[in-house]
């Protein structure tokens, strides 16, 4: 543990930005920071199963080299994440490291190169501690697969860590990683953050490169899948966004006078009472911060979700089945029988999600939500209502679920997938906690390209309610 002269300091007290500042200021050596995080991973990971491939020896070597650099050349000119320990979801290739994306068929693969997003983390001085768990080929609302098993929520072993970036959310929330690189094609950064009680950002479509992601989204839905950060503090998301996007720091705008629409019901979907109360509590805080708060339950969010599932079915279903089947289509009865025999190749949870897309997507044909022209209309309706402001809404419709939440997708996706379809950025921040210590989070959505506005509003909520708390 790091010492401050009065006793050991918990590394979870520092986010990525705070650690970077402390290292540059000479408060900690990189070795102290890296070792403290490794110690914490070794302590908590047996109960979490979040980090599935460790890179501790290379991390220690990099930390020693970083300290030698500072000792010889001083702290001036250090890159923004110098010495900060991070983790990477196993859907991203890290050169020379096992690369499975949770698939039994890729269980022995080793990456031959880094993803571009990983390269940008390294170039910014980050030190990778390991790779984290996900569902089979990222298709799931719970991070479980036949290779590594199930990841537990950082706050309760009985509860889901979410998916598909559940391993990242679990270890970041627990304090073992200061920053995580995840991905999101249908809530996969946001669902786990809301489940565990950390923060995340689904960036605008295309803002961060998805080069190397397994599986790849292609064609008309390519930009539905995004790379993005998970962290404990909103300032860490802002720092990670500039690094991962390869951009100069844009700054966080003021929120006073900015419009904030509040949505609590999307067509037939409505949140539980405690979730609605959490959103209204957040809305009150934003009003106190000077935002112009207005209720609007007439937005076409539910229609966007229906359209998303149909288009995914029509454009990607054959690819999804081949990805899950290791390059070939699969038989669901045969895979279920394998599972009964203890020879599972595809998890039941992934099979359920695939079936949901295949059959649930048909609803769009009944409602007429079946074209990109309709998608553009709904997106325009959203933008006209939001103006240059934000939308405040739930992400999960209930409190975090126990393991098995895959069987209840409609509690998790109605407020997630619409913003993949529109390309809008969305940030997750915890606002309050249930009586048993589980998080109740809200989602802040901004217009496409205005990621910093979403982060600015999320930051206000973090200031008002305290944000992440240690488990």
């Amino acid at each position: 543990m790091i010492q401050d002269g009065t006793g050991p300091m918990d590394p979870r007290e520092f986010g990525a930005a705070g650690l970077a500042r402390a290292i540059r200021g000479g408060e900690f050596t990189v070795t102290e920071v890296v070792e403290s995080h490794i110690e914490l991973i070794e302590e908590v990971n047996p109960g979490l199963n979040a980090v599935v491939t460790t890179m501790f020896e290379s991390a220690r070597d990099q930390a020693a080299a970083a300290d030698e650099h500072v000792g010889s050349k001083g702290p001036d000119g250090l890159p923004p994440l110098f010495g900060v320990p991070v983790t990477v979801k196993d859907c991203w290739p890290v050169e020379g490291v096992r690369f499975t994306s949770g698939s039994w068929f890729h269980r022995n693969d080793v990456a031959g190169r880094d993803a571009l997003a990983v390269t940008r983390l390294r170039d910014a001085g980050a030190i990778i501690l390991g790779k984290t768990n996900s569902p089979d080929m990222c298709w799931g609302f719970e991070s479980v697969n036949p290779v590594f098993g199930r990841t537990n929520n950082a706050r309760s072993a009985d509860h889901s860590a979410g998916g598909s970036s559940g391993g990242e959310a679990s270890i970041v929330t627990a304090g073992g990683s200061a920053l995580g690189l995840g991905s999101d094609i249908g809530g996969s950064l946001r669902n786990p953050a809301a489940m565990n009680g950390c923060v995340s950002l689904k960036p605008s479509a295309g803002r961060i490169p998805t080069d190397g992601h397994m599986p790849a989204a292609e064609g008309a839905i390519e930009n539905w899948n995004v790379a993005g950060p998970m962290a404990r503090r909103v300032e860490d998301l802002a720092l990670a966004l500039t690094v991962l996007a390869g951009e100069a720091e844009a700054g966080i705008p003021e929120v006073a006078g900015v419009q904030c629409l509040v949505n609590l019901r999307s067509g037939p979907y409505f949140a539980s009472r405690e979730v609605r109360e959490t959103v209204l509590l957040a809305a009150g805080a934003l009003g106190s911060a000077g935002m112009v708060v207005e209720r609007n339950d007439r937005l076409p969010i539910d229609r966007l979700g229906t359209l998303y599932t149909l288009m995914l079915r029509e454009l990607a279903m054959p690819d999804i089945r081949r990805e899950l089947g290791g390059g070939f289509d699969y038989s669901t009865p045969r895979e279920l029988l394998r599972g009964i025999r203890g020879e599972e190749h595809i998890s039941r949870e992934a099979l359920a999600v695939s079936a949901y897309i295949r059959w649930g997507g048909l609803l769009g044909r009944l409602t007429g939500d079946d074209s990109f022209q309709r998608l553009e209309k709904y997106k325009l309706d959203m933008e006209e209502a939001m103006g240059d402001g934000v939308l405040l809404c739930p992400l999960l419709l209930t409190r975090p679920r126990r393991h098995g939440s895959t069987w209840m997708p409609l509690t998790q996706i109605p407020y997630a997938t619409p913003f993949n379809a529109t390309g809008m950025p969305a940030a997750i921040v915890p606002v309050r906690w249930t009586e048993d210590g589980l998080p109740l989070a809200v989602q802040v959505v901004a217009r496409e390209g205005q990621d910093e506005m979403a982060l600015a509003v999320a930051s206000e909520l973090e200031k008002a309610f305290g944000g992440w708390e240690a488990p």
Side-chain angles (χ1 to χ4, degrees):
M1 284 293 205
I2 301 167
Q3 303 289 324
D4 70 347
T6 61
M9 296 178 64
D10 190 333
R12 294 177 301 184
E13 295 177 1
F14 298 86
L19 282 173
R21 287 192 295 267
I23 291 168
R24 288 194 297 271
E27 298 175 52
F28 313 133
T29 68
V30 177
T31 296
E32 287 174 329
V33 170
V34 167
E35 285 295 340
S36 68
H37 283 75
I38 290 175
E39 288 175 9
L40 193 58
I41 290 174
E42 290 177 333
E43 176 187 340
V44 303
N45 198 58
L48 297 180
N49 192 34
V51 179
V52 293
T53 302
T54 61
M55 299 170 58
F56 294 162
E57 291 310 308
S58 64
R60 289 181 169 117
D61 291 343
Q62 292 171 58
D67 286 331
E68 183 178 347
H69 174 89
V70 173
S72 62
K73 298 185 178 180
D76 294 338
L78 295 178
L81 290 174
F82 184 83
V84 174
V86 304
T87 43
V88 175
K89 182 181 177 182
D90 197 23
C91 62
W92 299 106
V94 176
E95 184 177 1
V97 180
R98 193 177 185 186
F99 179 33
T100 75
S101 200
S103 170
W104 183 91
F105 300 97
H106 294 280
R107 64 195 183 280
N108 296 319
D109 289 5
V110 175
R113 65 180 182 90
D114 284 346
L116 180 53
V118 172
T119 297
R120 287 180 175 176
L121 286 174
R122 290 191 192 274
D123 289 347
I127 296 177
I128 302 174
L129 299 182
K131 302 189 74 180
T132 57
N133 207 21
S134 74
D136 315 44
M137 298 300 280
C138 299
W139 289 111
F141 307 118
E142 174 137 24
S143 292
V144 58
N145 61 65
V147 184
F148 301 115
R150 189 183 307 276
T151 296
N152 290 326
N153 191 298
R155 302 181 186 277
S156 168
D158 294 328
H159 286 77
S160 171
S164 61
S165 305
E168 280 303 322
S170 181
I171 200 60
V172 166
T173 299
S177 174
L179 186 70
L181 175 62
S183 63
D184 189 318
I185 194 171
S188 298
L189 280 160
R190 292 162 288 158
N191 175 305
M195 289 277 201
N196 288 270
C198 63
V199 296
S200 70
L201 173 69
K202 182 202 85 66
S204 294
R207 185 152 182 189
I208 298 173
T210 55
D211 156 78
H213 189 275
M214 181 167 74
E218 298 178 339
I221 64 167
E222 178 181 4
N223 283 335
W224 288 10
N225 187 42
V226 299
M230 309 184 90
R232 292 191 291 279
R233 299 297 178 196
V234 175
E235 69 167 344
D236 303 336
L237 299 178
L239 175 59
L241 177 62
T242 62
V243 167
L244 293 168
E247 301 170 353
E249 187 174 352
I252 301 298
E254 297 293 327
V255 301
V258 174
Q259 178 177 249
C260 174
L261 295 185
V262 178
N263 181 281
L264 289 176
R265 178 152 188 174
S266 175
Y269 309 113
F270 58 92
S272 68
R273 179 177 179 178
E274 64 183 350
V275 170
R276 296 196 306 271
E277 290 173 347
T278 301
V279 175
L280 291 174
L281 186 66
L286 295 178
S288 297
M291 297 193 74
V292 181
V293 178
E294 176 186 342
R295 180 79 174 265
N296 188 332
D297 288 341
R298 301 178 304 280
L299 301 172
I301 298 173
D302 62 315
R303 308 299 291 271
L304 281 164
T306 301
L307 188 150
Y308 168 96
T309 308
L310 174 64
M311 300 306 285
L312 196 64
R313 179 189 190 278
E314 298 295 321
L315 299 174
M317 195 69 243
D319 290 337
I320 292 171
R321 292 180 64 86
R322 282 193 297 270
E323 290 157 0
L324 289 174
F328 302 93
D329 200 356
Y330 60 83
S331 162
T332 299
R334 182 173 65 239
E335 293 302 328
L336 291 173
L337 183 59
R338 279 178 173 165
I340 293 172
R341 296 198 304 256
E343 302 170 353
E344 190 175 55
H345 288 182
I346 306 172
S347 71
R348 291 175 299 169
E349 288 82 357
L351 293 172
V353 170
S354 177
Y356 171 76
I357 296 169
R358 186 175 187 178
W359 301 111
L362 294 174
L363 179 61
R365 291 184 179 174
L366 299 177
T367 62
D369 300 315
D370 57 0
S371 69
F372 281 99
Q373 290 80 7
R374 186 64 65 91
L375 168 59
E376 289 303 315
K377 177 188 181 302
Y378 292 151
K379 181 178 179 179
L380 181 61
D381 290 344
M382 294 283 294
E383 290 175 339
E384 288 180 347
M386 293 167 63
D388 289 326
V390 299
L391 168 67
L392 179 70
C393 61
L395 187 281
L396 304 176
L397 297 186
T398 68
R399 64 173 56 190
R401 308 295 304 194
R402 292 180 178 271
H403 289 300
S405 60
T406 289
W407 311 110
M408 294 168 282
L410 293 183
T411 67
Q412 300 172 76
I413 63 172
Y415 279 97
T417 58
F419 306 115
N420 293 89
T422 60
M424 294 174 172
I428 297 297
V429 60
V431 168
R432 62 182 185 134
W433 310 87
T434 67
E435 67 283 354
D436 50 355
L438 295 173
L440 293 168
V442 298
Q443 179 172 222
V444 180
V445 182
R447 289 177 65 114
E448 187 172 7
Q450 295 188 5
D451 305 51
E452 286 78 11
M453 179 57 73
L455 291 174
V457 176
S459 181
E460 287 294 332
L461 292 173
E462 183 179 65
K463 292 175 188 174
F465 299 104
W468 167 87
E469 295 180 1

